[in-house]
Amino acid sequence: MEAAIVPVRVKRLLIAGFLLTVPTLVFWTGVAYSVLTRQHSWVDAMLAGSKLNHILLVAVLPFISFVLAVISRFLLRQLAIQRNLWHKETAEMKASQSLINWNVILFSVMIISLINN
């Protein structure tokens, strides 16, 4: 019953936010693999197009995902206040918070990468 209360658009925002982090995860996994094995061909292939690919993978996609997570968190909080459930942590609120936390980790990795370069 509780899942039917949450609007479909909030669920779509959360799913879109998680899907936007997949390319970034693949990129950072490739970077970790290339550092461990000293074979940089996989990362070079991902970045072959231009510097725009690197900016898109490292900064833009996690930022858009973060914005979607914050918007969905705001909408879920407003819905909880309307239904007088503000004191309960729903599964969607947990998913939104985990997406926010995950994006903060991705931002941290990006900043560490910028410092190391």
Side-chain angles (χ1 to χ4, degrees), residues 24-34 42-43 46:
T24 305
L25 290 174
V26 170
F27 173 74
W28 286 117
T29 303
V31 170
Y33 174 78
S34 70
W42 199 48
V43 175
M46 282 191 284

Side-chain angles (χ1 to χ4, degrees), residues 76-104:
L76 288 169
R77 187 170 291 172
Q78 292 299 321
L79 182 67
I81 289 171
Q82 287 174 358
R83 299 183 190 273
N84 200 18
L85 298 172
W86 57 270
H87 60 281
K88 291 187 179 181
E89 188 75 19
T90 62
E92 288 82 10
M93 290 287 274
K94 289 178 185 177
S96 177
Q97 187 61 45
S98 67
L99 182 58
I100 290 170
N101 294 342
W102 184 243
N103 283 313
V104 167

Side-chain angles (χ1 to χ4, degrees), residues 15-27:
I15 291 170
F18 278 109
L19 289 177
L20 283 173
T21 60
V22 171
T24 305
L25 290 174
V26 170
F27 173 74

